[in-house]
Amino acid sequence: MSAAAQDQQVNRRAFAILFGVSAATALGNTGMLSVLPAIGRQIGIPDAMVAAIFSLSALLWAISSPFWAKRSDVRGRKPLILLGLGGFCVSMTLCAFVVSAGLHQLLPPMVVFVLFLLARALFGLFGSAANPATQAYLADRTRREERTQAMATLAGAFGLGTVVGPLLAPLFVLPVVGLAGPMFAFAGLAAVMMWIVRRGLDESTPPPTAGEPQPRGRLAFPSLRRGDSLWRDPRLAPFLLFGFLVATCQTAQTQTLGFLIIDKLGVEPVKAQGFITLAMAAGAVAGLLAQWGLIRMFSMGPRELMRWGVAVAALGNVVVAFAPDYAAVAIGYAVSSLGYGFARPGFTAGASLSVGAKDQAGAAGAIAAINGLNVVVAPLFVLLYEAVGWAPFVLNALILAAMLAYALRQAVLRKVSDAEATEEAAIAGLERGDEGGV
């Protein structure tokens, strides 16, 4: 076998492993998200506090992701991928034990909540190392002309995980472990992926800064300094505002969905789990239809994606708000997910196209931050749901309608499609995985 053929075979194997890492993480996160409402109701944790379990982890994710990305330049990509998988595995295992203790009434609900919050926070702190290292590993080993397609395919692993995770979760709701079963299973999957990465992922290329002297002293999370100016940069700020509010609406709707379905059906939380699974899977498929099919089919650029995205998502929220039965809830959620599947890649691509090459890393970091920080706001929407069932979805629709008006009138958002439509469609197909897995 020639050297070129050997390199190609190694690259294919490496990409398959990276795809598996991304899919396993997304699968575990969305699978866990699908069983959380039933867990909270069965243990007796208030709905808003169940939604808050992701909040501390999301905050740590937003803070630590840039730090781990920088460390991967020093230590190499593979060690950081292993660290991220290890954080995911340990966090998911601890969450499973805490939930199991709560389900067997070994701990009071509030103690379960605190321990669950802290166990999940380990993923935000350490699990966030895998995502930037995975993307950097791929970027190190692809030519510029290959990179967009490779990154788009890797991003598809997150989408695949969001479909498969909720479908697999009910299969592991077994006797003795009950609703904690899916978490044990996802932790086991992460352990298998760690073994595969350790044995099968080659890293012969030195990290970009491996030969450079590193500053001594305490380890510090990077201050934003130059990034701070990007948040105020008139080229980027409109996309960050638009993106934060759209991501907040999606996360709020997803985290409220399970409670709504349980209440619509009027059955025990465990019996409602299959219906929650089907609705979440339908939403994930709709999002994939947008990102994998319609965006490229119609060569939609960021301007069109943002406008159509928020309009369709607003319509879906109205359907969910006034749905008379479960079927209408599931249809409305799928329509909303189709809209988010347009809007989120739209503002991601628009932000990338709005700045030059030297600011790409800063723009990507800012987008990653809003993709994590929006999860902190979700418990407020669940509190609103507890007060008035239709209110959070109507509020979502109003916010999304306001974003449609903003996208139509704001000068930067109106001009973003000055680039070639084909280039925009390719970039818009890329979507970063966020902490919440939604």
Side-chain angles (χ1 to χ4, degrees):
M1 183 182 295
S2 67
Q6 286 180 333
D7 288 343
Q8 189 175 20
Q9 184 177 7
V10 169
N11 286 340
R12 281 200 299 265
R13 182 182 65 189
F15 182 81
I17 293 172
L18 297 179
F19 190 95
V21 169
S22 298
T25 303
L27 186 153
N29 282 333
T30 54
M32 178 183 182
L33 187 64
S34 71
V35 298
L36 271 183
I39 288 171
R41 290 285 178 90
Q42 192 154 328
I43 293 177
I45 301 173
D47 293 351
M49 296 180 74
V50 172
I53 286 169
F54 276 97
S55 297
L56 178 58
S57 179
L59 182 61
L60 292 173
W61 174 280
I63 293 171
S64 60
S65 288
F67 172 76
W68 294 127
K70 193 173 183 65
R71 295 303 297 170
S72 76
D73 285 340
V74 179
R75 301 298 300 272
R77 315 308 187 190
K78 182 175 176 178
L80 272 295
I81 294 172
L82 287 170
L83 176 64
L85 284 171
F88 177 88
C89 182
V90 171
S91 171
M92 197 66 76
T93 301
L94 292 176
C95 287
F97 279 115
V98 169
V99 167
S100 184
L103 293 172
H104 288 89
Q105 299 181 338
L106 300 177
L107 296 171
M110 289 303 100
V111 174
V112 172
F113 165 73
V114 172
L115 293 177
F116 202 169
L117 181 75
L118 295 176
R120 176 64 189 178
L122 289 175
F123 172 71
L125 186 59
F126 296 105
S128 55
N131 187 37
T134 298
Q135 295 191 33
Y137 186 103
L138 187 62
D140 291 342
R141 288 158 178 79
T142 52
R143 294 191 297 271
R144 185 177 182 86
E145 61 271 19
E146 302 171 331
R147 195 165 302 155
T148 296
Q149 186 59 46
M151 289 289 189
T153 306
L154 184 64
F158 288 100
L160 183 63
T162 61
V163 175
V164 177
L167 292 175
L168 282 183
L171 302 180
F172 298 103
V173 180
L174 302 171
V176 182
V177 291
L179 289 166
M183 298 179 205
F184 283 116
F186 299 141
L189 177 61
V192 170
M193 286 308 307
M194 286 182 69
W195 182 84
I196 292 173
V197 169
R198 185 178 294 277
R199 296 292 300 271
L201 190 65
D202 176 60
E203 185 163 53
S204 57
T205 304
T209 59
E212 299 175 8
Q214 300 302 318
R216 297 184 179 275
R218 63 183 181 90
L219 283 177
F221 288 99
S223 71
L224 292 177
R225 295 199 180 270
R226 193 166 68 100
D228 277 342
S229 63
L230 284 177
W231 287 87
R232 298 189 297 269
D233 191 321
R235 300 170 300 168
L236 192 61
F239 295 102
L240 297 180
L241 173 62
F242 181 95
F244 177 77
L245 290 175
V246 169
T248 296
C249 289
Q250 183 180 16
T251 301
Q253 187 175 9
T254 300
Q255 294 207 6
T256 311
L257 177 71
F259 302 116
L260 176 64
I261 290 174
I262 292 172
D263 294 335
K264 285 286 183 186
L265 294 173
V267 299
E268 292 295 320
V270 175
K271 293 181 179 179
Q273 188 56 49
F275 295 94
I276 296 172
T277 291
L278 289 176
M280 290 190 69
V285 170
L288 284 181
L289 174 64
Q291 292 184 355
W292 284 8
L294 298 179
I295 289 175
R296 289 176 172 81
M297 183 184 300
F298 295 106
S299 294
M300 299 171 73
R303 182 171 62 189
E304 292 75 23
L305 288 171
M306 288 187 288
R307 293 175 181 180
W308 280 102
V310 292
V312 172
L315 174 63
N317 271 277
V318 172
V319 172
V320 172
F322 302 107
D325 53 26
Y326 166 78
V329 170
I331 291 170
Y333 181 69
V335 171
S336 297
S337 298
L338 181 69
Y340 297 130
F342 288 140
R344 289 188 66 161
F347 74 75
T348 301
S352 175
L353 291 169
S354 70
V355 299
K358 68 182 179 65
D359 289 324
Q360 286 298 318
I367 292 294
I370 64 172
N371 280 340
L373 288 175
N374 74 84
V375 182
V376 178
V377 186
L380 300 179
F381 285 78
V382 179
L383 277 175
L384 185 59
Y385 170 76
E386 291 177 330
V388 183
W390 49 263
F393 309 106
V394 171
L395 177 58
N396 267 359
L398 292 174
I399 293 172
L400 292 165
M403 288 300 96
L404 175 59
Y406 187 62
L408 289 170
R409 297 180 61 85
Q410 211 283 329
V412 174
L413 301 187
R414 282 193 288 112
K415 293 178 180 177
V416 68
S417 287
D418 288 344
E420 290 291 330
T422 54
E423 177 190 5
E424 290 180 347
I427 299 175
L430 306 181
E431 173 65 291
R432 296 177 64 92
D434 56 34
E435 193 284 338
V438 296

